Amino acid sequence: MKKTFALLACGTPWLGALLLAATARAAVQPAPTAGLDPKFNAYLEQHCYDCHDSTTQKGDFRMDTLSPKIGFENTPQWLEIMERINSGEMPPKKVKVRPTAEESGAVVDFIAARMKEGEAARMAMRPPVSYNRLTRDEYVNTVRDLLGVQFDATDPGAFLEDPEWHGFERIGSVLTLSPSNVEKYLSAAETILSEAYPEIPPLRKGAKPPEPFGGSKPAYLAEQVNERHRERLQEMGVLEKLPYEIWPGDIFRYSLLKDPLPETGIYEISYTISGLKPEKGRAPRIKVYESKLDRTLFEQDIVAPEDHPVTVTFRAHLPKGRPTIEVYNDVPGPSNLPRSGRHGSRPFVSLKDGRMPWQIKLTDEQGRPRYPFLILHSISWRGPIITDQERQLREDYRPKTEGDLAEAREALRKLATRAFRRPVREEELDGFVSIVEAELKAGEKFPSAMKAGTAAILCSKSFIFVAEGDPTVMRQTLNDWEIASRLSYLLWSTMPDAELFTLAEAGQLHDKAELARQVARMLADPRAQRFTDAFSSQWLRLRKVGMFPPDKMIYPDYDKQLEACMTGETRAFFHEVLMGGYTLREFLDSKWTMANSRLAEYYGLPAEGLPSDGFQRVALTPESHRGGLLTQAAILSLTSDGTRHRPVHRGVWVMESIFGKSPPPPPANVEPIATNPVTAPKATLRMKLEAHIHDASCAACHAKIDPLGLAFENYDAIGRWRTTEKTEGTGADPSVNPSGKFPDGRTYQDAAEFKKLLLADLDAFNRTFTEKLATYALRRTVSFDDRDQLKAIAAAGKTADYRVKDILTALVTSDLFQKR
């Protein structure tokens, strides 16, 4: 009884009447779910046990015997209870005493939180050895650093996308290995080794070695010219150097040289090209696409006069033979399908020479371009390109003497040590050598036998998985080799380099001062871009951008290039905050962003002098209505459905990404908000949302979520600023209302005031960011057992004024980072 009155005295949000009722009931019979939170148990006592206890089991459902370990035991039953309460189905409407929506909402929140804790704890469980499969990108980077081979894991038939958990794509317990995955790894090993060690047929007696592949060609070959035009073009002196005009949306298919590509590998391709930009239009954009691989090789805006073309050069990994390469002018413009837009039989020579009378004109009477179009002059090729470093890597794993098994063993040892990221055991090495011996006995030549042993290493679980732990003894901390891998895959998404291997061998990676030095060194390396891209994308759920392509009729300016600019801004922004020594405050609000010319025009910012593809820091003014992550177009569009903005989804995103809390699932079969009838007065989505939430239990949950999303009503489904909402119906477009009220009573009038409220509670964001960073770094969910160490890291970040780089360093130098 004393405990009950103490709870009442402390001002608990749960109604005292419930506790008193539970106490009176407990005097008659013991609480059947002893061990549960008394506030939660009080609800069950008053509203559930009358129908679902030992004497009355309506629906054959009994609650008094359920385990109090919610999230760990009786999970299906507790989930059903949560869903029935959440939907308003239980307690039934016919009972006389019903709980308030707030009370039921608190119960749902309580069960949902316990379920999340249980899920996190299960996923964080660690057997003697934890195996964390390399992600698709990590596999590609590791193969490149191990063998100097660029494996294209995203090509058709290669690896599937990595599954994700709450946005994170490197959680060990989620990255499982199915039989189909095993076959893909076998195929990948064969592909990689075929490129690293191609079978070169012996030259016939007297034959000359093949010439290096490469050469140049004009855009339009003389043999492609209609015969009736050849003499005229020959007299003009242009037959052997004809250009090719590429209209918006047009395709050029003649990039290849006469000879096929001799081997799979990296090829350097150059296009000499002009790009004519209308005075008030888009710049033309070259996009080089390999259709068989469904892969964009290169794209860039081109602005260059006809008589002063530029040469753009890039490298691409291409298969042996004749790839299917298409060059697009990837901008909107007039269709080239009608007769007036087609090229015709008369080749293009120059703007001065013009086009046929029936064709669409390229320029106006003053010679200014009417549309954004490209003039392709020539193409050149070179390859396959193998650097000295790549060549040396491959030679490291080849015996110097043909048939020498002792040398073969040492070559395999060197490969396995690097591939496994630890010293290889002799018994492991015996197995790989025995494969070579078996192949030789079967009649295979020595290089093929070595390739079989090498393939076995690439298919070993010690390569495919980052292993942590010891099968012979249960230990909770990492050894130096494991720390080297954890650090390298955190910051570089690849295997450790020679310096990390040396430090691991010397046992120096438990030294926190050394770890801090390594963080500084590795962040200064260009490979750290992989961390800033991957972590920002996973933390902020950038994969969802474009998941629901915006309706072209409603958003005609939206295209894949703009989408790439949106996500590029967010990744570049994170990179700048980290590398520039800025604090968490910048994520919530800033007076600058990262933009290119296309994004600047989209935001209404000055675009002059900005790059067309890279990103540059630009200052923001209050009139731009931008600043921080929350008002970036990528974040605003990923929470939309392609037609309308979704304030509830925006609120959920803020709750999860900024506050680190997941709302309970919505009730089943909730009707979506209908579009506005054309005959009804126009109404904003907010108005319809407020009218839609008629159920009290729904309203209780929305009261927590909606204020986090309604602050951004001034931004439409693709993140454009607006003051009115375009909608169907009669009358004028209604004004948007970006004001809101937090459950604790704090209010805001717009997104700017909302961000100030977030800044006032920076410690909450600091805790969330620390947890997100730890989840990414440890490759597992964080659990209740990690709470004290997470608090210590967050405290270190606060001491460093919330600088992101210092929070990252505090994590790496913490005891948690060395914990399995």
Side-chain angles (χ1 to χ4, degrees):
M1 186 65 71
K2 289 182 179 179
K3 184 176 181 181
T4 300
F5 283 111
L7 287 168
L8 287 172
C10 70
T12 173
W14 297 70
L15 293 183
L18 289 179
L19 289 174
L20 290 172
T23 305
R25 183 182 176 95
V28 179
Q29 68 179 76
T33 49
L36 284 176
D37 187 298
K39 298 173 287 186
F40 174 69
N41 198 38
Y43 181 97
L44 302 183
E45 289 279 356
Q46 180 158 355
H47 299 291
C48 302
Y49 291 141
D50 281 342
C51 297
H52 301 285
D53 63 1
S54 59
T55 58
T56 308
Q57 299 171 28
K58 291 189 177 181
D60 294 326
F61 194 86
R62 184 174 177 179
M63 292 177 57
D64 61 321
T65 56
L66 295 182
S67 170
K69 298 180 179 179
I70 302 176
F72 296 88
E73 298 175 359
N74 296 131
T75 298
Q77 290 85 351
W78 284 116
L79 277 173
E80 183 171 355
I81 291 169
M82 180 180 70
E83 290 172 359
R84 295 291 185 94
I85 296 174
N86 198 22
S87 66
E89 183 180 350
M90 292 293 169
K93 292 181 171 55
K94 64 181 180 180
V95 299
K96 294 180 179 179
V97 180
R98 286 184 56 78
T100 66
E102 289 74 16
E103 291 168 354
S104 292
V107 168
V108 171
D109 286 347
F110 180 83
I111 298 176
R114 302 294 81 73
M115 288 295 178
K116 182 181 178 182
E117 290 172 3
E119 179 190 31
R122 288 191 299 275
M123 295 179 68
M125 288 176 64
R126 296 176 289 285
V129 181
S130 302
Y131 292 100
N132 303 305
R133 178 168 66 80
L134 296 177
T135 67
R136 188 166 64 176
D137 289 342
E138 289 171 340
Y139 182 92
V140 168
N141 295 333
T142 303
V143 165
R144 187 190 299 116
D145 289 346
L146 184 67
L147 284 158
V149 172
Q150 173 65 46
F151 175 66
D152 299 313
T154 61
D155 283 352
F159 293 171
L160 302 175
E161 284 190 355
D162 296 315
E164 56 97 9
W165 179 84
H166 291 267
F168 290 105
E169 301 168 12
R170 64 200 309 266
I171 304 299
S173 58
V174 174
L175 293 171
T176 55
L177 189 64
S178 67
S180 61
N181 289 135
V182 174
E183 292 180 5
K184 290 182 182 295
Y185 281 113
L186 290 169
S187 177
E190 182 179 343
T191 300
I192 291 162
L193 294 176
S194 294
E195 181 173 339
Y197 306 105
E199 294 183 7
I200 303 174
L203 292 174
R204 289 176 296 177
K205 188 175 181 180
K208 295 181 180 180
E211 294 289 330
F213 178 84
S216 300
K217 66 181 284 291
Y220 208 61
L221 298 175
E223 55 261 35
Q224 294 176 271
V225 177
N226 190 294
E227 189 172 349
R228 70 175 183 270
H229 295 293
R230 288 184 184 177
E231 184 177 350
R232 176 179 64 87
L233 297 174
Q234 185 72 54
E235 291 175 356
M236 294 172 63
V238 297
L239 182 61
E240 304 298 329
K241 52 182 178 180
L242 284 171
Y244 191 94
E245 85 279 27
I246 309 178
W247 282 92
D250 197 7
I251 307 175
F252 173 80
R253 294 187 172 92
Y254 314 114
S255 291
L256 301 182
L257 301 180
K258 183 177 181 181
D259 295 325
L261 307 187
E263 297 292 343
T264 299
I266 301 291
Y267 288 84
E268 185 176 88
I269 312 171
S270 297
Y271 289 93
T272 300
I273 193 166
S274 300
L276 281 75
K277 177 181 180 297
E279 186 176 354
K280 295 183 179 180
R282 291 266 299 276
R285 184 174 184 82
I286 182 174
K287 176 181 176 180
V288 186
Y289 176 74
E290 214 294 348
S291 61
K292 288 182 183 177
L293 303 178
D294 189 23
R295 190 191 332 145
T296 298
L297 307 181
F298 177 79
E299 55 182 325
Q300 180 180 308
D301 286 356
I302 304 293
V303 179
E306 181 185 25
D307 54 349
H308 288 89
V310 296
T311 298
V312 293
T313 301
F314 61 93
R315 292 183 176 184
H317 188 259
L318 295 169
K320 179 180 179 179
R322 303 192 70 82
T324 305
I325 293 180
E326 300 170 346
V327 179
Y328 292 85
N329 183 2
D330 197 27
V331 290
S335 171
N336 60 352
L337 293 178
R339 183 172 181 266
S340 60
R342 296 173 191 170
H343 290 274
S345 62
R346 178 175 179 261
F348 173 79
V349 175
S350 67
L351 289 175
K352 183 178 180 180
D353 187 66
R355 305 184 87 201
M356 300 279 286
W358 51 265
Q359 291 177 306
I360 295 177
K361 298 297 178 281
L362 301 173
T363 59
D364 61 18
E365 294 179 357
Q366 287 74 40
R368 297 172 299 195
R370 301 176 68 220
Y371 307 104
F373 65 92
L374 299 168
I375 302 175
L376 182 57
H377 299 273
S378 62
I379 307 108
S380 64
W381 286 75
R382 183 170 71 91
I385 297 170
I386 306 173
T387 66
D388 292 340
Q389 182 182 9
E390 291 167 348
R391 202 181 305 277
Q392 184 59 54
L393 277 175
R394 300 172 192 182
E395 288 301 315
D396 282 349
Y397 315 130
R398 296 287 88 179
K400 301 292 185 278
T401 306
E402 180 87 9
D404 192 318
L405 285 176
E407 288 186 9
R409 185 182 185 89
E410 291 311 306
L412 291 172
R413 182 194 304 277
K414 184 175 289 187
L415 174 63
T417 299
R418 290 179 181 172
F420 298 171
R421 304 165 288 271
R422 58 166 173 78
V424 63
R425 298 186 296 273
E426 291 301 320
E427 58 269 23
E428 290 178 300
L429 200 55
D430 291 341
F432 301 126
V433 175
S434 68
I435 292 173
V436 177
E437 293 173 337
E439 291 291 304
L440 291 172
K441 289 179 182 178
E444 289 291 337
K445 294 181 180 179
F446 189 68
S448 296
M450 277 298 298
K451 192 178 290 186
T454 302
I457 291 174
L458 294 185
C459 293
S460 168
K461 68 178 181 181
S462 295
F463 174 65
I464 297 171
F465 291 85
V466 177
E468 297 174 348
D470 193 323
T472 62
V473 60
M474 187 69 177
R475 58 178 168 85
Q476 298 300 328
T477 56
L478 306 182
N479 62 33
D480 285 79
W481 297 96
E482 292 163 349
I483 293 174
S485 287
R486 178 172 283 185
L487 182 57
S488 185
Y489 282 105
L490 166 63
L491 297 181
W492 287 348
S493 296
T494 189
M495 59 186 285
D497 65 352
E499 182 168 334
L500 284 175
F501 276 146
T502 300
L503 291 170
E505 188 172 13
Q508 295 180 19
L509 285 179
H510 281 86
D511 183 341
K512 296 185 177 182
E514 182 60 51
L515 283 173
R517 284 192 290 272
Q518 289 303 311
V519 171
R521 175 182 76 90
M522 296 174 74
L523 287 180
D525 190 285
R527 285 173 287 186
Q529 183 76 47
R530 298 171 186 167
F531 164 70
T532 59
D533 285 349
F535 175 69
S536 61
S537 296
Q538 294 178 39
W539 163 39
L540 301 172
R541 308 286 189 94
L542 296 185
R543 185 197 272 194
K544 290 187 175 182
V545 177
M547 181 179 291
F548 300 103
D551 189 319
K552 285 287 186 182
M553 297 296 292
I554 304 174
Y555 309 105
D557 294 336
Y558 190 96
D559 56 22
K560 284 294 182 181
Q561 184 195 352
L562 179 61
E563 184 179 295
C565 292
M566 289 175 174
T567 56
E569 174 196 17
T570 304
R571 294 190 187 102
F573 188 84
F574 181 88
H575 184 88
E576 182 72 8
V577 170
L578 174 66
M579 300 303 181
Y582 297 106
T583 74
L584 291 176
R585 298 180 186 89
E586 305 297 318
F587 291 142
L588 300 180
D589 197 12
S590 66
K591 295 181 179 180
W592 58 276
T593 193
M594 305 296 291
N596 56 23
S597 56
R598 177 77 189 279
L599 193 68
E601 289 173 357
Y602 186 71
Y603 283 166
L605 300 171
E608 187 176 353
L610 292 179
S612 61
D613 290 278
F615 288 84
Q616 184 175 310
R617 179 169 169 155
V618 297
L620 296 173
T621 62
E623 292 73 29
S624 66
H625 306 290
R626 307 286 169 177
L629 294 170
L630 304 181
T631 49
Q632 290 180 1
I635 304 302
L636 294 163
S637 64
L638 70 83
T639 50
S640 303
D641 63 6
T643 302
R644 302 178 295 183
H645 71 294
R646 303 174 82 176
V648 176
H649 285 235
R650 287 176 175 176
V652 170
W653 184 92
V654 172
M655 181 178 283
E656 293 181 336
S657 301
I658 305 301
F659 291 111
K661 298 178 180 179
S662 296
N669 302 319
V670 175
E671 291 293 329
I673 299 177
T675 55
N676 207 60
V678 293
T679 56
K682 291 185 175 182
T684 66
L685 189 58
R686 175 175 185 155
M687 296 174 186
K688 296 179 70 64
L689 177 63
E690 291 169 348
H692 180 75
I693 305 171
H694 51 78
D695 188 275
S697 60
C698 293
C701 194
H702 276 274
K704 303 172 188 175
I705 299 173
D706 294 358
L708 304 179
L710 293 173
F712 308 103
E713 287 295 279
N714 280 121
Y715 303 90
D716 68 9
I718 58 173
R720 295 178 302 189
W721 174 260
R722 64 183 183 177
T723 56
T724 60
E725 185 171 324
K726 291 188 178 298
T727 182
E728 296 288 343
T730 60
D733 288 331
S735 299
V736 297
N737 175 14
S739 65
K741 181 179 180 181
F742 283 1
D744 62 9
R746 291 179 297 165
T747 62
Y748 61 83
Q749 294 303 311
D750 53 26
E753 290 189 11
F754 177 84
K755 289 189 282 188
K756 290 179 181 177
L757 294 178
L758 296 186
L759 286 169
D761 193 14
L762 196 56
D763 284 334
F765 178 42
N766 182 27
R767 290 191 296 271
T768 297
F769 182 79
T770 300
E771 182 176 323
K772 300 288 185 181
L773 194 60
T775 299
Y776 182 89
L778 304 180
R779 307 178 81 104
R780 64 171 175 83
T781 59
V782 294
S783 65
F784 186 75
D785 295 338
D786 302 319
R787 66 193 185 285
D788 291 337
Q789 291 160 318
L790 287 170
K791 287 179 181 177
I793 298 167
K798 182 176 183 178
T799 301
D801 194 32
Y802 307 101
R803 277 188 297 275
V804 176
K805 186 180 292 187
D806 289 323
I807 296 173
L808 176 60
T809 303
L811 170 65
V812 173
T813 57
S814 69
D815 293 336
L816 180 61
F817 191 77
Q818 300 183 18
K819 179 181 176 182
R820 288 186 52 232

